[in-house]
């Protein structure tokens, strides 16, 4: 849910003052303790020196003339030792600060962060988004700085990080607040975003091609909206993307083959749209893809075409192709997807016999083939599969 933080301004100010007070208290108490310990050490050294000098005088009596000559020498020696002690005291006064570096650095860093300025680019972009989102969000975003300003906390759903002397916006989560209107293009100016979550709203229109500017984006969640038109191929430029959620929208056209350019992609959700054409077999080259859901679309083709690339889908665990227009049979080569756990092919136009080799997929747990045109008998190995729970 979209969390409101209107009442945290006073708490933020109080915490900052407390941190400052605690920091200076630690510094003051530590310095006083150092000076007190050093004074005690200095007295011990002087007493020890005086004792040694008296013992020397009692053992080797000196003439009055030598005593007079010795006195300024002794004073010079004491002065030298005092200066030496002063220097060592200064060194020791500095040394104990390294005994609590972690606490000190954290406290000073927090104080420093409170004075960092947010990058003007991000401030401008968030204020443009604020102007376009509507009253449900605007009343919760107080102040001109989305990362917080003085006693004002960061805007709800906005996460910032510090880079040098500036703060940048790294996450934007504004979901389930009934945002109406087109996709806010100003979002594409937040170049340090790693997470963009606008799901469960009422966004309309296309995803702008400028989405390809967000090179650091790892998670893009736009499901449960009313987005339209084709999925922009520029999404294939988001090389850091691991999660892509585009389900429950009105996307049409083909699945862009540029999605195969996302080396770290693990989860791809495209179900409940109006996508047509064939699934690009190039997706099989994604070495980290674990979950592919393209169910409830208007896709065509065969399973054989999808897995025609040798060694394809090495990490795929879940494959959902239900409620489409797939034809043909189940190829024996499907058994090469050794990581497969869920295979959902229901409500298509597939036919032929079910090959027994599919029963040799070692981790297969759920197999759904209903509402097709398969014929023949269910192979005996399916009944002996150690992990198969539902068929």
């Amino acid at each position: 849910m979209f969390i409101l933080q209107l009442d945290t301004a006073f708490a933020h100010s109080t915490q900052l003052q407390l941190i400052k007070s605690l920091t200076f208290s630690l510094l003051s108490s530590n310095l006083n303790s150092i000076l007190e310990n050093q004074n005690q050490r200095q007295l011990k050294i002087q007493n020890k020196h005086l004792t040694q000098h008296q013992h020397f005088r009692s053992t080797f009596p000196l003439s009055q003339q030598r005593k007079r000559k010795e006195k300024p020498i002794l004073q010079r020696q004491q002065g030298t030792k005092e200066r030496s002690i002063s220097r060592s005291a200064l060194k020791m006064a500095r040394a104990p600060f390294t005994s609590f570096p972690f606490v000190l650095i954290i406290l000073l860093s927090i104080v420093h962060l409170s004075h960092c300025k947010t990058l003007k680019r991000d401030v401008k972009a968030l204020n443009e988004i604020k102007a376009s989102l509507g009253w449900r969000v605007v009343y919760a975003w107080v102040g001109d700085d989305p990362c917080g300003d003085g006693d004002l906390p960061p805007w709800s759903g906005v996460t910032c990080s510090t880079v040098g002397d500036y703060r940048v916006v790294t996450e934007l989560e504004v979901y389930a607040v009934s945002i109406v209107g087109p996709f806010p293009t100003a979002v594409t100016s937040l170049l340090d975003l790693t997470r963009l979550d606008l799901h469960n709203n009422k966004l309309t229109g296309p995803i702008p091609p400028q989405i390809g500017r967000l090179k650091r984006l790892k998670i893009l969640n736009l499901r449960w909206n009313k987005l339209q038109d084709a999925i922009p191929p520029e999404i294939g430029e988001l090389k850091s993307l691991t999660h892509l959620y585009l389900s429950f929208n009105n996307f049409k056209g083909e699945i862009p083959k540029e999605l195969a350019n996302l080396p770290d992609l693990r989860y791809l959700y495209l179900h409940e749209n109006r996508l047509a054409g064939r699934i690009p077999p190039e997706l099989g080259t994604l070495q980290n893809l674990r979950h592919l859901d393209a169910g409830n679309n208007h896709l065509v083709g065969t399973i054989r075409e999808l897995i025609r690339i040798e060694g394809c889908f090495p990490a795929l665990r879940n494959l959902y192709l239900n409620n489409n227009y797939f034809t043909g049979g189940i190829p024996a080569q499907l058994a090469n997807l050794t990581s497969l756990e869920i295979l959902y092919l229901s409500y298509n136009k597939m036919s032929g016999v079910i090959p027994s080799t599919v029963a040799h997929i070692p981790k297969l747990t759920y197999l759904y083939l209903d509402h097709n045109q398969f014929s023949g008998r269910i192979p005996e190995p399916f009944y002996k599969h150690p992990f198969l729970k539902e068929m």
Side-chain angles (χ1 to χ4, degrees):
M1 293 297 294
F2 187 68
I3 305 172
L4 303 182
Q5 298 179 344
L6 291 175
D7 57 345
T8 59
F10 177 76
H12 177 78
S13 175
T14 305
Q15 291 174 356
L16 181 60
Q17 293 177 358
L18 179 62
I19 290 170
K20 291 181 178 179
S21 176
L22 179 59
T23 303
F24 293 119
S25 176
L26 282 173
L27 291 173
S28 177
S29 61
N30 193 69
L31 184 59
N32 290 336
S33 176
I34 293 165
L35 294 177
E36 183 178 350
N37 292 336
Q38 187 56 39
N39 288 335
Q40 293 177 357
R41 291 186 180 186
Q42 184 176 351
L43 287 175
K44 289 181 179 179
I45 292 173
Q46 289 177 346
N47 290 335
K48 182 179 179 181
H49 178 77
L50 183 60
T51 303
Q52 292 175 347
H53 179 64
Q54 290 175 349
H55 176 71
F56 177 80
R57 291 182 60 184
S58 61
T59 307
F60 302 98
L62 300 175
S63 64
Q64 192 68 23
Q65 182 179 2
R66 292 187 62 186
K67 287 181 183 178
R68 284 197 301 268
K69 290 182 180 179
E70 182 186 31
K71 186 174 183 181
I73 296 175
L74 181 59
Q75 287 178 346
R76 286 198 299 272
Q77 291 175 344
Q78 289 177 344
T80 303
K81 283 190 172 290
E82 287 174 359
R83 286 195 297 272
S84 176
I85 291 171
S86 299
R87 293 192 191 100
S88 62
L90 181 60
K91 291 181 181 178
M92 295 182 66
R94 293 170 181 169
F97 285 96
T98 61
S99 64
F100 62 104
F102 181 76
V103 176
L104 183 60
I105 290 173
I106 291 297
L107 292 174
L108 293 178
S109 297
I110 294 174
V111 174
H112 172 70
L113 291 182
S114 64
H115 297 291
C116 287
K117 293 184 178 180
T118 304
L119 201 63
K120 291 182 179 179
R121 176 201 67 198
D122 290 2
V123 174
K124 179 182 178 182
L126 261 297
N127 277 284
E128 288 181 13
I129 297 170
K130 176 181 178 180
S132 66
L133 291 185
W135 68 271
R136 287 180 179 270
V137 176
V138 171
Y139 83 91
W141 285 0
V142 180
D144 296 325
D145 192 336
C147 296
D149 185 12
D151 295 337
L152 295 176
W155 291 358
S156 297
V158 176
T159 302
C160 300
S161 299
T162 302
V163 179
D165 294 330
Y166 289 91
R167 294 178 297 186
V168 295
V169 177
T170 54
E171 296 183 11
L172 179 60
E173 300 175 274
V174 185
Y175 53 88
V177 289
S178 299
I179 298 173
V180 179
F183 183 95
T185 307
V187 166
T188 61
S189 295
L190 301 172
L191 303 183
D192 292 285
L193 273 187
T194 59
R195 176 192 290 266
L196 176 58
D197 190 345
L198 302 176
H199 85 269
N200 200 6
N201 285 297
K202 298 178 181 179
L203 295 175
T204 57
I207 299 176
Q210 295 92 320
I211 195 74
R213 301 174 62 195
L214 305 179
K215 306 298 184 183
R216 300 183 181 181
L217 200 63
K218 295 183 178 180
I219 299 175
L220 177 58
N221 190 353
L222 301 175
R223 61 185 173 185
W224 288 105
N225 277 286
K226 297 182 179 181
L227 295 168
Q228 303 163 346
D229 296 343
I231 298 173
E234 286 79 6
I235 290 181
E237 300 174 10
L238 309 179
K239 302 298 184 181
S240 299
L241 205 63
T242 59
H243 297 66
L244 178 58
Y245 302 93
L246 300 178
S247 51
F248 296 99
N249 279 284
N250 295 317
F251 292 115
K252 58 184 181 180
E254 297 186 353
I255 299 173
K257 64 180 180 180
E258 286 79 5
L259 297 183
N261 297 330
L262 304 174
D264 296 327
L265 190 63
R266 298 181 181 181
Y267 298 92
L268 177 57
Y269 291 83
L270 302 172
H271 58 285
E272 293 286 349
N273 280 288
R274 300 178 182 179
L275 298 170
R278 289 172 165 77
I279 299 178
E282 290 84 357
L283 294 182
T285 62
L286 294 174
Q287 298 296 306
N288 296 302
L289 188 63
R290 301 177 182 177
H291 186 103
L292 172 57
D293 190 346
N296 291 88
N297 280 288
H298 305 300
L299 299 170
V300 298
T302 65
I303 303 298
R304 187 181 300 275
E305 292 172 342
L306 178 61
I307 63 172
R308 69 173 185 242
I309 298 177
E310 186 177 355
C312 64
F313 298 110
L316 192 64
R317 298 177 182 176
N318 309 322
L319 178 60
Y320 291 82
L321 301 177
N322 55 291
N323 294 80
N324 280 290
Y325 298 99
F326 283 92
T327 57
I330 299 177
Q333 293 86 342
L334 190 65
N336 295 331
L337 276 60
T338 55
S339 298
L340 206 60
E341 298 177 8
I342 299 175
L343 179 60
Y344 199 171
L345 300 176
S346 302
Y347 291 91
N348 278 286
K349 298 182 180 297
M350 301 180 69
S351 59
V353 297
I354 302 173
S356 60
T357 54
V358 176
H360 298 298
I361 300 176
K363 299 180 181 179
L364 189 63
T365 308
Y366 298 96
L367 176 63
Y368 300 102
L369 305 175
D370 57 289
H371 293 84
N372 280 285
Q373 299 171 14
F374 294 116
S375 59
R377 299 176 62 87
I378 298 175
E380 187 69 21
F382 281 104
Y383 297 103
K384 300 178 181 179
H385 197 288
F387 295 106
L388 192 61
K389 294 182 179 180
E390 292 186 13
M391 178 176 177

